[in-house]
Coordinates of all heavy atoms in Angstrom, one line a residue:
M1 N -2.3 42.6 30.3 CA -1.0 42.5 29.7 C -0.9 41.3 28.7 O -1.4 40.2 29.1 CB 0.1 42.4 30.8 CG 1.4 42.7 30.2 SD 2.6 43.0 31.6 CE 3.4 41.5 31.7
A2 N -0.4 41.5 27.5 CA -0.3 40.4 26.6 C 0.6 39.3 27.0 O 1.7 39.7 27.6 CB 0.1 41.0 25.2
K3 N 0.3 38.1 26.8 CA 1.1 37.0 27.2 C 2.4 36.9 26.3 O 2.2 37.1 25.1 CB 0.3 35.7 27.1 CG 1.1 34.5 27.7 CD 0.2 33.2 27.6 CE 1.1 32.1 28.0 NZ 0.7 30.9 27.3
K4 N 3.5 36.8 26.9 CA 4.7 36.7 26.1 C 4.8 35.4 25.3 O 4.5 34.3 25.9 CB 5.9 36.8 27.1 CG 7.3 36.9 26.4 CD 8.4 37.0 27.4 CE 9.7 37.0 26.7 NZ 10.4 35.7 26.9
K5 N 5.1 35.5 24.0 CA 5.2 34.3 23.2 C 6.5 33.5 23.6 O 7.5 34.0 24.0 CB 5.3 34.6 21.7 CG 4.0 35.1 21.1 CD 4.2 35.2 19.6 CE 2.8 35.6 19.0 NZ 3.0 36.0 17.6
E6 N 6.3 32.1 23.5 CA 7.5 31.3 23.8 C 8.5 31.3 22.7 O 8.1 31.4 21.5 CB 7.0 29.8 24.0 CG 6.3 29.6 25.3 CD 6.0 28.1 25.5 OE1 6.2 27.3 24.6 OE2 5.5 27.8 26.6
G7 N 9.7 31.4 23.1 CA 10.8 31.3 22.1 C 11.3 29.9 22.0 O 10.9 29.0 22.8
W8 N 12.3 29.7 21.2 CA 12.8 28.3 21.1 C 13.5 27.8 22.3 O 13.5 26.6 22.6 CB 13.8 28.2 19.9 CG 15.1 29.0 20.1 CD1 15.3 30.3 19.7 CD2 16.3 28.6 20.7 NE1 16.6 30.7 20.0 CE2 17.2 29.7 20.6 CE3 16.8 27.4 21.2 CZ2 18.5 29.6 21.1 CZ3 18.0 27.3 21.7 CH2 18.9 28.4 21.7
K9 N 14.0 28.7 23.2 CA 14.6 28.3 24.4 C 13.7 27.6 25.4 O 14.1 26.9 26.3 CB 15.4 29.5 25.1 CG 16.6 29.9 24.3 CD 17.3 31.0 25.0 CE 18.5 31.5 24.2 NZ 19.1 32.7 24.7
E10 N 12.4 28.0 25.2 CA 11.4 27.4 26.1 C 10.9 26.0 25.7 O 10.1 25.4 26.4 CB 10.2 28.4 26.2 CG 10.4 29.6 27.1 CD 11.3 30.6 26.5 OE1 11.1 30.9 25.3 OE2 12.3 31.1 27.1
L11 N 11.2 25.6 24.5 CA 10.7 24.3 24.0 C 11.4 23.2 24.8 O 12.6 23.3 25.0 CB 11.0 24.2 22.5 CG 10.3 25.1 21.6 CD1 10.8 24.9 20.2 CD2 8.8 24.9 21.6
P12 N 10.7 22.2 25.1 CA 11.3 21.0 25.8 C 12.3 20.3 24.8 O 12.0 20.3 23.6 CB 10.1 20.1 26.1 CG 9.0 20.6 25.4 CD 9.2 22.0 25.0
I13 N 13.4 19.8 25.4 CA 14.4 19.2 24.5 C 13.8 17.9 23.9 O 13.1 17.2 24.5 CB 15.6 18.8 25.4 CG1 16.3 20.0 25.9 CG2 16.6 17.9 24.6 CD1 17.4 19.8 26.9
G14 N 14.0 17.8 22.6 CA 13.5 16.7 21.9 C 12.0 16.8 21.5 O 11.4 15.9 21.0
A15 N 11.5 18.0 21.6 CA 10.0 18.2 21.3 C 9.8 18.1 19.8 O 10.6 18.5 19.0 CB 9.6 19.6 21.7
I16 N 8.7 17.4 19.5 CA 8.4 17.3 18.1 C 7.2 18.3 17.8 O 6.1 18.1 18.4 CB 8.0 15.9 17.7 CG1 9.2 15.0 17.9 CG2 7.5 15.8 16.2 CD1 8.9 13.5 17.7
I17 N 7.4 19.3 17.0 CA 6.4 20.3 16.8 C 5.4 19.9 15.8 O 4.2 20.1 15.9 CB 7.0 21.7 16.4 CG1 8.1 22.1 17.4 CG2 6.0 22.7 16.3 CD1 7.6 22.2 18.9
V18 N 5.9 19.3 14.7 CA 5.1 18.9 13.6 C 5.0 17.4 13.6 O 6.0 16.7 13.7 CB 5.7 19.4 12.2 CG1 4.9 19.0 11.1 CG2 5.9 20.9 12.3
E19 N 3.7 16.9 13.5 CA 3.5 15.5 13.4 C 4.1 14.9 12.1 O 3.9 15.5 11.1 CB 2.0 15.2 13.5 CG 1.7 13.7 13.6 CD 0.2 13.4 13.5 OE1 -0.6 14.4 13.5 OE2 -0.1 12.3 13.3
P20 N 5.0 13.9 12.2 CA 5.5 13.4 11.0 C 4.5 12.8 10.1 O 3.5 12.3 10.5 CB 6.5 12.3 11.5 CG 6.1 12.0 12.9 CD 5.4 13.2 13.4
G21 N 4.7 12.9 8.8 CA 3.8 12.4 7.8 C 3.9 10.9 7.7 O 4.8 10.3 8.1
S22 N 2.8 10.3 7.2 CA 2.8 8.8 7.0 C 2.0 8.5 5.8 O 0.8 8.9 5.7 CB 2.3 8.1 8.2 OG 2.1 6.7 7.9
S23 N 2.5 7.7 4.9 CA 1.8 7.4 3.7 C 0.6 6.4 4.0 O -0.3 6.2 3.2 CB 2.7 6.7 2.6 OG 3.3 5.6 3.2
R24 N 0.6 5.8 5.2 CA -0.5 4.9 5.6 C -1.8 5.7 5.7 O -2.9 5.1 5.6 CB -0.2 4.4 7.0 CG 0.8 3.2 7.0 CD 1.0 2.7 8.4 NE 2.0 1.7 8.4 CZ 1.9 0.4 8.3 NH1 0.6 0.0 8.2 NH2 2.9 -0.4 8.4
K25 N -1.7 7.0 5.9 CA -3.0 7.8 6.1 C -3.6 8.0 4.7 O -4.8 8.4 4.7 CB -2.6 9.1 6.7 CG -2.3 9.0 8.1 CD -2.0 10.4 8.7 CE -1.5 10.3 10.1 NZ -1.1 11.6 10.6
F26 N -2.9 7.8 3.6 CA -3.4 8.1 2.3 C -3.8 6.8 1.6 O -3.0 6.0 1.3 CB -2.4 8.9 1.5 CG -2.1 10.2 2.1 CD1 -0.9 10.3 2.9 CD2 -3.0 11.3 2.1 CE1 -0.6 11.5 3.5 CE2 -2.7 12.5 2.7 CZ -1.5 12.6 3.4
K27 N -5.1 6.6 1.5 CA -5.6 5.4 0.9 C -5.5 5.5 -0.6 O -6.4 6.0 -1.3 CB -7.1 5.1 1.3 CG -7.2 5.0 2.8 CD -7.0 3.6 3.3 CE -6.9 3.5 4.8 NZ -8.2 3.2 5.4
T28 N -4.3 5.1 -1.1 CA -4.1 5.3 -2.6 C -5.0 4.4 -3.4 O -5.0 4.6 -4.7 CB -2.6 5.0 -2.9 OG1 -2.2 3.8 -2.3 CG2 -1.7 6.1 -2.4
G29 N -5.7 3.5 -2.8 CA -6.6 2.7 -3.6 C -7.7 3.5 -4.2 O -8.3 3.1 -5.2
D30 N -7.9 4.7 -3.7 CA -8.9 5.6 -4.3 C -8.5 6.0 -5.7 O -9.4 6.5 -6.4 CB -9.1 6.9 -3.4 CG -9.8 6.6 -2.1 OD1 -10.3 5.5 -1.9 OD2 -9.7 7.5 -1.2
W31 N -7.2 5.9 -6.0 CA -6.8 6.4 -7.3 C -7.1 5.3 -8.4 O -6.9 5.6 -9.6 CB -5.3 6.6 -7.3 CG -4.8 7.6 -6.3 CD1 -5.5 8.2 -5.4 CD2 -3.4 8.0 -6.2 NE1 -4.7 9.1 -4.6 CE2 -3.4 9.0 -5.1 CE3 -2.2 7.8 -6.8 CZ2 -2.2 9.6 -4.7 CZ3 -1.1 8.4 -6.4 CH2 -1.1 9.3 -5.4
R32 N -7.4 4.1 -8.0 CA -7.6 3.0 -8.9 C -8.8 3.3 -9.9 O -9.8 3.8 -9.4 CB -7.9 1.7 -8.2 CG -7.5 0.5 -8.8 CD -7.6 -0.8 -7.9 NE -8.8 -0.9 -7.2 CZ -8.9 -0.7 -5.9 NH1 -7.9 -0.3 -5.2 NH2 -10.1 -0.8 -5.3
E33 N -8.5 3.1 -11.1 CA -9.6 3.4 -12.1 C -9.9 2.1 -12.9 O -9.2 1.7 -13.8 CB -9.2 4.5 -13.0 CG -9.2 5.8 -12.4 CD -9.0 6.9 -13.4 OE1 -9.0 6.7 -14.6 OE2 -8.8 8.1 -13.0
G34 N -11.0 1.5 -12.6 CA -11.6 0.4 -13.4 C -11.1 -1.0 -13.2 O -11.9 -1.9 -13.1
K35 N -9.8 -1.2 -13.0 CA -9.3 -2.6 -12.8 C -8.6 -2.8 -11.5 O -8.0 -1.9 -10.9 CB -8.2 -2.8 -13.9 CG -8.7 -2.7 -15.3 CD -9.2 -4.0 -15.9 CE -9.5 -3.8 -17.4 NZ -10.2 -5.0 -17.9
K36 N -8.8 -4.1 -11.0 CA -8.1 -4.5 -9.8 C -7.6 -5.9 -10.0 O -8.1 -6.7 -10.8 CB -9.1 -4.4 -8.6 CG -10.2 -5.5 -8.7 CD -11.1 -5.5 -7.5 CE -12.2 -6.5 -7.6 NZ -13.1 -6.5 -6.5
P37 N -6.5 -6.2 -9.2 CA -5.9 -7.5 -9.4 C -6.7 -8.6 -8.6 O -7.2 -8.3 -7.5 CB -4.5 -7.3 -8.8 CG -4.6 -6.2 -7.8 CD -5.7 -5.3 -8.3
V38 N -6.7 -9.8 -9.2 CA -7.3 -10.9 -8.5 C -6.3 -12.1 -8.7 O -5.7 -12.2 -9.8 CB -8.7 -11.3 -9.1 CG1 -9.2 -12.6 -8.6 CG2 -9.7 -10.2 -8.8
V39 N -6.1 -12.8 -7.6 CA -5.1 -13.9 -7.7 C -5.8 -15.3 -7.8 O -6.8 -15.5 -7.1 CB -4.1 -13.9 -6.6 CG1 -4.8 -14.1 -5.2 CG2 -3.0 -14.9 -6.8
D40 N -5.3 -16.2 -8.6 CA -5.8 -17.5 -8.6 C -4.8 -18.4 -7.8 O -3.7 -18.7 -8.2 CB -5.8 -18.0 -10.1 CG -6.3 -19.5 -10.2 OD1 -6.3 -20.2 -9.2 OD2 -6.6 -19.9 -11.4
K41 N -5.3 -18.7 -6.6 CA -4.4 -19.4 -5.6 C -4.0 -20.8 -6.1 O -3.0 -21.3 -5.6 CB -5.0 -19.4 -4.2 CG -5.0 -18.0 -3.5 CD -3.6 -17.4 -3.4 CE -2.7 -18.1 -2.4 NZ -1.4 -17.6 -2.4
D42 N -4.8 -21.3 -7.0 CA -4.4 -22.7 -7.5 C -3.1 -22.6 -8.4 O -2.4 -23.5 -8.5 CB -5.6 -23.3 -8.3 CG -6.7 -23.6 -7.4 OD1 -6.5 -23.9 -6.2 OD2 -7.9 -23.7 -7.9
K43 N -2.9 -21.4 -9.0 CA -1.7 -21.3 -9.8 C -0.6 -20.7 -9.1 O 0.6 -20.9 -9.4 CB -2.1 -20.3 -11.0 CG -3.0 -20.8 -12.1 CD -3.0 -19.8 -13.2 CE -4.0 -20.1 -14.3 NZ -4.2 -19.0 -15.2
C44 N -0.8 -19.9 -8.0 CA 0.2 -19.2 -7.3 C 1.2 -20.1 -6.6 O 0.8 -21.1 -6.0 CB -0.5 -18.3 -6.2 SG 0.7 -17.4 -5.2
T45 N 2.5 -19.8 -6.8 CA 3.5 -20.7 -6.2 C 4.2 -20.0 -5.0 O 5.2 -20.5 -4.5 CB 4.6 -20.9 -7.3 OG1 5.2 -19.7 -7.7 CG2 4.1 -21.7 -8.5
N46 N 3.6 -18.8 -4.6 CA 4.2 -18.1 -3.5 C 5.6 -17.6 -3.7 O 6.4 -17.6 -2.8 CB 4.0 -18.8 -2.2 CG 2.6 -19.0 -1.8 OD1 1.8 -18.1 -1.8 ND2 2.2 -20.3 -1.7
C47 N 6.0 -17.3 -5.0 CA 7.3 -16.9 -5.2 C 7.6 -15.4 -4.7 O 8.7 -15.0 -4.5 CB 7.6 -16.9 -6.7 SG 6.6 -15.7 -7.7
L48 N 6.5 -14.7 -4.5 CA 6.5 -13.3 -4.0 C 7.1 -12.3 -4.9 O 7.5 -11.2 -4.5 CB 7.1 -13.3 -2.6 CG 6.5 -14.2 -1.5 CD1 7.1 -14.0 -0.2 CD2 5.0 -14.1 -1.5
F49 N 7.2 -12.6 -6.2 CA 7.7 -11.6 -7.2 C 6.7 -10.4 -7.2 O 7.1 -9.3 -7.3 CB 7.8 -12.2 -8.6 CG 9.0 -13.0 -8.9 CD1 9.9 -13.2 -7.9 CD2 9.2 -13.5 -10.1 CE1 11.1 -14.0 -8.2 CE2 10.3 -14.2 -10.4 CZ 11.3 -14.5 -9.4
C50 N 5.4 -10.7 -7.0 CA 4.4 -9.6 -7.0 C 4.7 -8.7 -5.8 O 4.6 -7.5 -5.9 CB 3.0 -10.2 -7.0 SG 2.7 -11.4 -5.7
W51 N 4.9 -9.3 -4.7 CA 5.1 -8.6 -3.4 C 6.3 -7.6 -3.5 O 6.3 -6.5 -3.1 CB 5.3 -9.6 -2.3 CG 5.7 -9.0 -1.0 CD1 4.9 -8.3 -0.1 CD2 7.0 -9.0 -0.4 NE1 5.7 -7.9 1.0 CE2 6.9 -8.4 0.8 CE3 8.2 -9.6 -0.8 CZ2 8.0 -8.2 1.7 CZ3 9.3 -9.5 0.1 CH2 9.2 -8.8 1.3
I52 N 7.4 -8.2 -4.1 CA 8.6 -7.4 -4.2 C 8.5 -6.3 -5.3 O 9.2 -5.2 -5.2 CB 9.8 -8.3 -4.5 CG1 11.1 -7.7 -3.8 CG2 10.1 -8.5 -5.9 CD1 12.2 -8.7 -3.7
S53 N 7.6 -6.4 -6.2 CA 7.4 -5.5 -7.3 C 6.4 -4.4 -7.1 O 6.4 -3.4 -7.7 CB 6.9 -6.2 -8.6 OG 7.8 -7.3 -8.9
C54 N 5.5 -4.7 -6.2 CA 4.4 -3.7 -5.9 C 4.9 -2.4 -5.4 O 5.4 -2.4 -4.3 CB 3.3 -4.3 -5.0 SG 2.0 -3.1 -4.7
P55 N 4.7 -1.3 -6.1 CA 5.2 0.0 -5.6 C 4.4 0.5 -4.4 O 4.8 1.5 -3.7 CB 5.0 0.9 -6.8 CG 3.9 0.3 -7.6 CD 4.0 -1.2 -7.4
D56 N 3.2 -0.1 -4.1 CA 2.4 0.4 -3.0 C 2.3 -0.5 -1.8 O 1.5 -0.3 -0.9 CB 1.0 0.7 -3.5 CG 1.0 1.9 -4.4 OD1 1.2 3.0 -3.9 OD2 1.0 1.8 -5.6
S57 N 3.2 -1.6 -1.8 CA 3.1 -2.6 -0.7 C 1.7 -3.0 -0.5 O 1.3 -3.2 0.7 CB 3.7 -2.0 0.6 OG 5.1 -1.6 0.4
A58 N 1.0 -3.3 -1.6 CA -0.4 -3.7 -1.4 C -0.6 -5.2 -1.5 O -1.7 -5.7 -1.5 CB -1.2 -3.0 -2.5
I59 N 0.5 -6.0 -1.6 CA 0.3 -7.4 -1.6 C 0.4 -7.9 -0.2 O 1.3 -7.6 0.6 CB 1.5 -8.1 -2.4 CG1 1.7 -7.5 -3.8 CG2 1.3 -9.6 -2.5 CD1 0.6 -7.8 -4.8
I60 N -0.6 -8.7 0.2 CA -0.7 -9.2 1.5 C 0.1 -10.5 1.6 O -0.2 -11.4 0.8 CB -2.1 -9.4 2.0 CG1 -2.9 -8.0 1.9 CG2 -2.2 -10.0 3.4 CD1 -4.4 -8.2 2.0
V61 N 1.1 -10.6 2.5 CA 1.8 -11.8 2.7 C 1.8 -12.2 4.1 O 2.0 -11.4 5.0 CB 3.3 -11.6 2.2 CG1 4.1 -12.9 2.6 CG2 3.4 -11.3 0.7
K62 N 1.5 -13.5 4.4 CA 1.5 -14.0 5.8 C 2.2 -15.3 5.8 O 1.9 -16.2 5.0 CB 0.1 -14.1 6.3 CG 0.0 -14.2 7.8 CD -1.4 -14.0 8.3 CE -1.4 -14.2 9.8 NZ -2.6 -14.6 10.4
D63 N 3.1 -15.5 6.7 CA 3.9 -16.7 6.9 C 4.5 -17.2 5.5 O 4.4 -18.4 5.2 CB 3.0 -17.8 7.5 CG 2.5 -17.4 8.8 OD1 3.2 -16.7 9.6 OD2 1.4 -17.8 9.2
G64 N 5.0 -16.2 4.7 CA 5.6 -16.5 3.5 C 4.7 -16.9 2.3 O 5.1 -17.3 1.3
E65 N 3.4 -16.7 2.6 CA 2.4 -17.0 1.5 C 1.7 -15.7 1.0 O 1.3 -14.9 1.9 CB 1.3 -17.9 2.0 CG 1.7 -19.4 2.0 CD 0.5 -20.3 2.3 OE1 -0.6 -19.9 2.0 OE2 0.8 -21.3 2.9
M66 N 1.5 -15.6 -0.3 CA 0.8 -14.5 -0.9 C -0.7 -14.7 -0.6 O -1.3 -15.8 -0.9 CB 1.0 -14.5 -2.4 CG 0.6 -13.3 -3.1 SD -1.2 -13.2 -3.4 CE -1.3 -11.9 -4.5
K67 N -1.3 -13.8 0.1 CA -2.7 -13.9 0.6 C -3.7 -13.1 -0.2 O -4.9 -13.2 0.1 CB -2.8 -13.6 2.1 CG -2.0 -14.5 3.0 CD -2.6 -15.9 3.1 CE -1.9 -16.7 4.1 NZ -2.5 -18.1 4.1
G68 N -3.2 -12.2 -1.0 CA -4.2 -11.3 -1.7 C -3.7 -9.9 -1.8 O -2.5 -9.6 -1.7
F69 N -4.6 -9.0 -1.9 CA -4.3 -7.6 -2.2 C -5.0 -6.7 -1.1 O -6.1 -6.9 -0.8 CB -4.7 -7.2 -3.6 CG -4.2 -8.1 -4.6 CD1 -5.0 -9.2 -5.0 CD2 -3.0 -7.9 -5.2 CE1 -4.5 -10.0 -6.0 CE2 -2.5 -8.7 -6.2 CZ -3.2 -9.8 -6.6
N70 N -4.3 -5.7 -0.7 CA -4.9 -4.7 0.2 C -5.4 -3.6 -0.8 O -4.7 -2.7 -1.2 CB -3.9 -4.1 1.2 CG -4.6 -3.1 2.1 OD1 -5.6 -2.6 1.8 ND2 -3.9 -2.9 3.3
L71 N -6.7 -3.6 -1.1 CA -7.3 -2.7 -2.0 C -7.4 -1.3 -1.5 O -7.7 -0.4 -2.3 CB -8.6 -3.2 -2.5 CG -8.6 -4.5 -3.3 CD1 -10.0 -5.0 -3.7 CD2 -7.7 -4.4 -4.6
D72 N -7.1 -1.1 -0.2 CA -7.1 0.3 0.3 C -5.9 1.1 -0.3 O -5.9 2.3 -0.4 CB -6.9 0.3 1.8 CG -8.3 0.1 2.5 OD1 -9.3 0.2 1.8 OD2 -8.3 -0.2 3.7
Y73 N -4.8 0.3 -0.7 CA -3.6 0.9 -1.2 C -3.3 0.6 -2.6 O -2.4 1.2 -3.3 CB -2.4 0.6 -0.3 CG -2.7 1.1 1.1 CD1 -3.1 0.2 2.1 CD2 -2.5 2.4 1.4 CE1 -3.4 0.7 3.4 CE2 -2.7 2.9 2.7 CZ -3.2 2.1 3.7 OH -3.4 2.6 4.9
C74 N -3.9 -0.5 -3.2 CA -3.6 -0.9 -4.6 C -4.1 0.2 -5.5 O -5.3 0.5 -5.5 CB -4.3 -2.2 -4.8 SG -4.3 -2.7 -6.6
K75 N -3.2 0.6 -6.4 CA -3.6 1.7 -7.4 C -4.1 1.0 -8.7 O -4.4 1.8 -9.7 CB -2.5 2.6 -7.6 CG -2.3 3.6 -6.4 CD -1.4 4.7 -6.7 CE 0.0 4.3 -6.7 NZ 1.0 5.3 -6.3
G76 N -4.0 -0.3 -8.8 CA -4.4 -0.9 -10.1 C -3.4 -0.8 -11.2 O -3.8 -0.8 -12.4
C77 N -2.2 -0.6 -10.9 CA -1.2 -0.3 -11.9 C -0.9 -1.5 -12.8 O -0.4 -1.4 -13.9 CB 0.1 0.2 -11.3 SG 1.0 -1.1 -10.3
G78 N -1.1 -2.7 -12.2 CA -0.9 -4.0 -13.0 C 0.5 -4.5 -13.0 O 0.8 -5.4 -13.7
I79 N 1.4 -3.9 -12.3 CA 2.8 -4.4 -12.2 C 2.9 -5.8 -11.7 O 3.6 -6.7 -12.3 CB 3.7 -3.4 -11.4 CG1 3.9 -2.1 -12.1 CG2 5.1 -4.1 -11.2 CD1 4.6 -1.0 -11.3
C80 N 2.1 -6.1 -10.7 CA 2.1 -7.5 -10.1 C 1.6 -8.5 -11.2 O 2.2 -9.5 -11.4 CB 1.2 -7.6 -8.9 SG -0.5 -7.0 -9.2
F81 N 0.7 -8.1 -12.0 CA 0.2 -8.9 -13.1 C 1.3 -9.2 -14.1 O 1.4 -10.3 -14.6 CB -1.0 -8.1 -13.7 CG -1.4 -8.5 -15.1 CD1 -2.1 -9.7 -15.3 CD2 -1.1 -7.7 -16.2 CE1 -2.5 -10.1 -16.6 CE2 -1.5 -8.1 -17.5 CZ -2.2 -9.3 -17.7
T82 N 2.1 -8.2 -14.4 CA 3.1 -8.4 -15.4 C 4.3 -9.2 -14.9 O 5.0 -9.8 -15.6 CB 3.7 -7.0 -16.0 OG1 4.3 -6.3 -14.9 CG2 2.6 -6.2 -16.6
Q83 N 4.5 -9.2 -13.5 CA 5.6 -9.8 -12.9 C 5.4 -11.3 -12.5 O 6.3 -12.0 -12.3 CB 6.1 -9.0 -11.7 CG 6.6 -7.7 -12.0 CD 7.7 -7.7 -13.0 OE1 8.8 -8.3 -12.7 NE2 7.6 -7.0 -14.1
C84 N 4.1 -11.7 -12.4 CA 3.8 -13.0 -12.0 C 4.3 -14.1 -13.1 O 3.8 -14.0 -14.2 CB 2.4 -13.2 -11.7 SG 2.0 -14.9 -11.2
P85 N 5.2 -14.9 -12.7 CA 5.8 -15.9 -13.7 C 4.8 -17.0 -14.1 O 5.1 -17.7 -15.1 CB 7.0 -16.4 -13.0 CG 6.8 -16.3 -11.6 CD 5.9 -15.1 -11.4
V86 N 3.8 -17.2 -13.4 CA 2.8 -18.3 -13.7 C 1.4 -17.8 -14.1 O 0.5 -18.5 -14.1 CB 2.7 -19.3 -12.5 CG1 4.1 -20.0 -12.3 CG2 2.3 -18.6 -11.2
N87 N 1.3 -16.5 -14.3 CA 0.1 -15.9 -14.7 C -1.1 -16.1 -13.7 O -2.2 -16.5 -14.1 CB -0.3 -16.3 -16.1 CG 0.7 -15.9 -17.2 OD1 1.2 -14.8 -17.1 ND2 1.0 -16.8 -18.1
A88 N -0.7 -16.0 -12.5 CA -1.7 -16.3 -11.4 C -2.6 -15.1 -11.1 O -3.6 -15.1 -10.4 CB -1.1 -16.8 -10.2
I89 N -2.1 -13.9 -11.6 CA -2.8 -12.6 -11.4 C -3.5 -12.2 -12.6 O -2.9 -12.1 -13.7 CB -1.9 -11.6 -10.8 CG1 -1.2 -12.0 -9.5 CG2 -2.6 -10.2 -10.7 CD1 -0.2 -11.1 -9.0
E90 N -4.8 -11.8 -12.4 CA -5.6 -11.2 -13.5 C -6.0 -9.9 -13.1 O -6.4 -9.6 -11.9 CB -6.8 -12.2 -13.7 CG -7.6 -11.9 -15.0 CD -8.8 -12.8 -15.1 OE1 -8.9 -13.8 -14.3 OE2 -9.7 -12.5 -15.9
M91 N -6.1 -8.9 -14.1 CA -6.6 -7.6 -13.8 C -8.1 -7.6 -14.2 O -8.4 -7.9 -15.4 CB -5.9 -6.5 -14.5 CG -4.4 -6.4 -14.1 SD -4.2 -6.0 -12.3 CE -4.7 -4.3 -12.2
V92 N -9.0 -7.5 -13.3 CA -10.4 -7.6 -13.7 C -11.1 -6.2 -13.4 O -10.7 -5.4 -12.7 CB -11.1 -8.7 -12.8 CG1 -10.5 -10.0 -13.0 CG2 -11.2 -8.3 -11.4
D93 N -12.3 -6.1 -14.1 CA -13.1 -4.9 -13.9 C -13.5 -4.9 -12.5 O -13.8 -5.9 -11.8 CB -14.3 -4.9 -14.8 CG -13.9 -4.8 -16.3 OD1 -12.8 -4.3 -16.6 OD2 -14.7 -5.2 -17.1
E94 N -13.6 -3.7 -11.9 CA -13.9 -3.5 -10.5 C -15.2 -4.1 -10.1 O -15.3 -4.7 -9.0 CB -14.0 -2.0 -10.1 CG -12.7 -1.3 -10.0 CD -12.0 -1.5 -8.7 OE1 -12.6 -2.0 -7.8 OE2 -10.8 -1.2 -8.7
E95 N -16.2 -4.1 -11.0 CA -17.5 -4.7 -10.7 C -17.4 -6.2 -10.6 O -18.1 -6.8 -9.8 CB -18.5 -4.3 -11.7 CG -18.7 -2.8 -12.1 CD -17.7 -2.4 -13.1 OE1 -17.7 -3.0 -14.2 OE2 -16.9 -1.5 -12.9
K96 N -16.5 -6.8 -11.4 CA -16.4 -8.3 -11.4 C -15.6 -8.7 -10.2 O -14.7 -8.0 -9.7 CB -15.7 -8.8 -12.6 CG -16.6 -8.7 -13.9 CD -15.9 -9.5 -14.9 CE -16.3 -9.1 -16.3 NZ -15.4 -9.6 -17.3
E97 N -15.7 -9.9 -9.8 CA -14.9 -10.5 -8.7 C -14.1 -11.7 -9.3 O -14.6 -12.4 -10.1 CB -15.7 -10.9 -7.5 CG -14.9 -11.2 -6.3 CD -14.0 -10.0 -5.8 OE1 -14.4 -8.9 -5.8 OE2 -12.9 -10.3 -5.4
Ligands
SF4_1 S1 -2.0 -3.5 -9.3 FE1 -0.1 -2.3 -8.7 S2 -0.6 -1.4 -6.8 FE2 -2.1 -3.1 -7.1 S3 -1.2 -4.8 -6.0 FE3 -0.6 -4.9 -8.2 S4 1.4 -3.9 -8.3 FE4 0.5 -3.3 -6.3
SF4_2 S1 4.0 -13.5 -8.4 FE1 2.4 -14.9 -8.9 S2 3.1 -16.9 -8.2 FE2 4.4 -15.4 -7.3 S3 3.4 -15.0 -5.3 FE3 2.6 -13.4 -6.7 S4 0.7 -14.3 -7.5 FE4 1.9 -16.0 -6.5

């Protein structure tokens, strides 16, 4: 005899059927083409304009200090470069460091 399929009444209360999505799973850094940001910490004033401007939350900040870039998520858009008031960020060729 075929097993009877469960209906909605058999689902446990509060059950999550579909796993919620998360942008963390998508390494948008794969989209970067050619250029990546590099910071000159001697110039950086830790104003965090870059952090607030980055559309991919790819600026690493710890204890209020800008620490660099998470290249797993940085798409190389250059917005941080345009927003830095002291020109501490440079967009360099991927091969260069
Ligand atoms: S280049 Fe774009 S994605 Fe990468 S850290 Fe700067 S603002 Fe964020
Ligand atoms: S915008 Fe420039 S000065 Fe400000 S935290 Fe970022 S790199 Fe440093």
Side-chain angles (χ1 to χ4, degrees):
M1 193 163 100
K3 190 178 170 210
K4 187 178 172 254
K5 284 188 179 172
E6 286 188 351
W8 66 270
K9 288 181 182 173
E10 283 75 46
L11 294 175
I13 293 171
I16 298 173
I17 306 302
V18 178
E19 187 187 347
S22 170
S23 59
R24 280 179 188 270
K25 290 180 182 171
F26 300 99
K27 301 275 170 90
T28 47
D30 289 350
W31 302 5
R32 208 170 49 252
E33 284 188 9
K35 300 269 187 189
K36 68 178 179 184
V38 170
V39 64
D40 180 344
K41 287 304 291 175
D42 290 337
K43 289 185 185 172
C44 176
T45 59
N46 296 305
C47 68
L48 304 186
F49 281 4
C50 55
W51 172 74
I52 215 164
S53 307
C54 176
D56 290 287
S57 301
I59 308 287
I60 301 166
V61 174
K62 194 167 179 205
D63 299 328
E65 276 189 32
M66 192 281 192
K67 295 290 187 185
F69 306 93
N70 184 341
L71 295 177
D72 280 347
Y73 298 100
C74 167
K75 287 192 283 215
C77 66
I79 292 174
C80 55
F81 161 75
T82 64
Q83 295 303 302
C84 179
V86 295
N87 298 320
I89 297 175
E90 190 184 350
M91 297 301 289
V92 303
D93 293 339
E94 286 280 347
E95 308 85 56
K96 284 192 203 163
E97 194 58 41

